[in-house]
Amino acid sequence: MEKLDSLLLQEIAGMHDIPMGAYNIRKNGEGLSRRSTANIEIRPKTDKPGIDIIVAPGTVNESVHIPVIITQTGIDDLVYNDFYIGDGADVLIVAGCGIHNSGDSKSQHDGIHTFHIGKNAHVKYVEKHYGEGDGLGERILNPVTAVEQGENSVCEMEMVQIKGVDSTKRDTKASLAAGAKLIVTERLLTHGKQEALSNIEVRLNGADSSAQIISRTVAKDSSKQVFYYNAVGNDKCRAHVQCDSIIMDNATVSSIPGITANSAYAQIIHEAAIGRINNDQLVKLMTFGLTEEEAEEIIISGFLK
Amino acid sequence: MLELQNISFGVDTDAGKLEIIDDVSLTVADGSFTVITGPNGGGKSTLAKLIMGIEKPTSGKIIYNGEDITPLSVTERAKKGIGYAFQQPPRFKGLTVRRLLSLAAGATLPEDECCSYLTGVGLCSKDYLNREMDASLSGGEAKRIEIATLMARNLGLAIFDEPEAGIDLWSFSMLVKSFRAMSSGRHNSVLVISHQERIMDLADNMIVIADGRLKNQGTKEEVLPTLMGEFNQECDFRGKENADGKA
Ligand SMILES: Nc1ncnc2c1ncn2[C@@H]1O[C@H](COP(=O)(O)OP(=O)(O)OP(=O)(O)O)[C@@H](O)[C@H]1O
Ligand SMILES: [Mg+2]
């Protein structure tokens, strides 16, 4: 593997080498290498770019890595990934996209993901976005994710974007059957002139389904963040949306809640807070001998952890 | 040695200028255990913040070990060995107790060392090391962790602001023991703001601050008997101040 490739892979997927288990590595708009296992099949699509990932029912303690890297300038990559998670399976999926753009044209990756999660299955999905390179070319990531959760399934989604992505528009939709549970944590840091938009819509269709959306973001410089978080309760269910943003410099953040109950037994809470770094926290760390900048760093990285 | 020379601190309010600290001069000798006491709102915490550099005096000088530190920032004073445990410790999302202790010490602390500081404030260390210093901690827990962060440092002057507040009886005994240990065999000075007699018992120097002024200074034996009388007249002299046109 080339040095730049492995650096990007490490950044987004924590991979030092070829990962254990099933994987598919995509580079500059093409499949680079792929491995299926006895229980997890990765099949390239024939009608459009992308792959089908089929996890056999009952598969436990296995992982799938599907990182995407872009190292050329001017790449516009659109890819469809469909996950079929069999009943009772328990898997970790590590996705993510790293863009190194040192040219002057924009590089863009739009990943369209669908998840069909079977009954009683448990999925942990981790997605990291990362950009670097000193060219003028923009680094753009617009992921679209649709999740369909079967009865009593659990889906944990962790989405992180800490550095170097100029523009991102994230669309996430989930629908939950009876007893299903969804936990989404989104962590985002924007700086410079970056813009980030995130739409999340959760439909709690089945009895005793539950959803928790936790968003922690930091907006620096003159960056811009907009969040539309929507929870719709169609049966006896519980949903909790929690958005917490630190705003600095000349940034703007808007957090727009949308909660709808179509059942008298739906219980939906939305909490949102936007504010500067607490001055007492800064001063406390400065009384340990840290500079104001060091204190800020520590508070932000703790907040985004 | 710490020396405050004619320190005053005022703020502008809607009702005009408010003098919170009014011409206070005092010294804290090397190796001493000083307790500052006085009525609520008297200006004790403000005085501590002025020493730490969190607030800047309107006039007067602060001399520490012969150097005028009045223009120095909080960070610079911390590096010179001054530390301050807040009356109300701030909470941090995502910072573990262990990390906080390490940040205080200025180096990554080994687990057993962290544990010994927590035990010193009556906390069972294994339950707390990896907890976050966030809003989920109770008031007394946060307070004791705050105190432990000063114990983890090597300070020339350690200031504790009402360390006893919100702390249960059992932990309080532990705390008094830790303060006693600190006051013997130490090289540094300890300045404790307190309303507790058991902490005053440890003092070799006591200072009374009321209404922004130094009201009394001396040994515990000299100062303690006068305290009750003074507190009784508190309402009285507040009334007089108001008659003088002071806020
Ligand atoms: N920035 C400020 N603006 C206005 N008033 C202030 C400010 N800081 C402190 N004060 C006032 O100054 C007075 C002294 O406050 P300080 O916190 O120093 O009292 P204290 O002696 O520590 O009281 P306690 O025993 O209740 O902790 C109080 O009346 C307080 O309201
Ligand atoms: Mg006080």
Side-chain angles (χ1 to χ4, degrees), chain B residues 6-23:
Chain B
N6 307 100
I7 290 291
S8 290
F9 174 70
V11 291
D12 293 318
T13 67
D14 297 341
K17 203 160 160 61
L18 179 67
E19 206 67 8
I20 294 170
I21 295 294
D22 190 3
D23 196 22

Side-chain angles (χ1 to χ4, degrees), chain B residues 79-92:
Chain B
K79 286 189 170 143
K80 295 207 177 286
I82 301 176
Y84 174 44
F86 290 15
Q87 185 169 3
Q88 272 149 350
R91 311 302 182 100
F92 295 87

Side-chain angles (χ1 to χ4, degrees), chain B residues 44-45 87 161-162 193:
Chain B
K44 303 178 296 298
S45 296
Q87 185 169 3
D161 200 341
E162 295 192 28
I193 297 169

Side-chain angles (χ1 to χ4, degrees), chain A residues 4 18 24 105 157 173 270 289:
Chain A
L4 180 57
I18 295 297
N24 184 80
S105 329
M157 312 190 87
K173 283 195 168 72
H270 185 284

Side-chain angles (χ1 to χ4, degrees), chain B residues 11-242:
Chain B
V11 291
D12 293 318
T13 67
D14 297 341
K17 203 160 160 61
L18 179 67
E19 206 67 8
I20 294 170
I21 295 294
D22 190 3
D23 196 22
V24 169
S25 297
L26 57 85
T27 56
V28 175
D30 282 341
S32 68
F33 195 104
T34 302
V35 172
I36 299 183
T37 194
N40 293 139
K44 303 178 296 298
S45 296
T46 307
L47 203 62
K49 287 178 190 161
L50 286 162
I51 297 169
M52 189 69 241
I54 298 168
E55 301 284 7
K56 287 283 159 80
T58 349
S59 62
K61 270 187 186 172
I62 303 173
I63 313 292
Y64 181 62
N65 293 338
E67 183 191 353
D68 182 359
I69 60 164
T70 324
L72 298 193
S73 68
V74 174
T75 309
E76 289 164 316
R77 293 185 202 199
K79 286 189 170 143
K80 295 207 177 286
I82 301 176
Y84 174 44
F86 290 15
Q87 185 169 3
Q88 272 149 350
R91 311 302 182 100
F92 295 87
K93 278 183 184 156
L95 265 195
T96 62
V97 170
R98 186 172 183 175
R99 180 90 205 283
L100 201 70
L101 287 170
S102 294
L103 286 169
T108 309
L109 292 179
E111 194 171 312
D112 55 339
E113 203 178 328
C114 285
C115 288
S116 74
Y117 299 129
L118 292 175
T119 313
V121 292
L123 286 174
C124 176
S125 45
K126 72 174 189 320
D127 298 343
Y128 289 96
L129 265 189
N130 296 314
R131 279 223 18 210
E132 285 183 12
M133 181 70 177
D134 63 10
S136 74
L137 288 171
S138 81
E141 287 167 339
K143 189 78 194 177
R144 285 184 278 166
I145 290 160
E146 174 79 357
I147 295 163
T149 61
L150 280 215
M151 309 236 166
R153 297 179 61 194
N154 217 336
L155 294 169
L157 174 67
I159 308 166
F160 296 91
D161 200 341
E162 295 192 28
E164 73 270 14
I167 288 184
D168 63 61
L169 233 54
W170 295 271
S171 309
F172 184 63
S173 305
M174 193 68 210
L175 206 65
V176 170
K177 231 158 90 188
S178 294
F179 278 126
R180 191 170 289 133
M182 218 189 291
S183 75
S184 62
R186 65 173 184 269
H187 304 290
N188 53 359
S189 316
V190 180
L191 190 65
V192 184
I193 297 169
S194 177
H195 301 291
Q196 277 293 329
E197 242 188 287
R198 277 172 72 190
I199 288 181
M200 295 179 195
D201 283 341
L202 303 171
D204 33 46
N205 180 28
M206 277 199 56
I207 291 170
V208 182
I209 299 283
D211 202 34
R213 298 198 200 127
L214 184 95
K215 283 281 135 93
N216 204 348
Q217 178 168 21
T219 63
K220 188 197 155 219
E221 289 69 28
E222 291 164 357
V223 170
L224 209 53
T226 69
L227 270 182
M228 289 308 161
E230 243 179 276
F231 281 10
N232 284 342
Q233 278 151 36
E234 180 62 8
C235 217
D236 207 29
F237 80 72
R238 278 273 156 101
K240 275 185 214 145
E241 296 289 351
N242 285 339

Side-chain angles (χ1 to χ4, degrees), chain A residues 8 20 33 80 93 129 150-151 180 188 195 200 236 258 269 271 294:
Chain A
L8 284 174
M20 302 274 288
S33 64
Y80 296 85
I93 300 166
H129 283 171
E151 282 174 25
L188 180 69
E195 291 191 11
I200 299 182
K236 176 175 180 261
I269 300 171
E271 292 175 277
E294 288 166 339

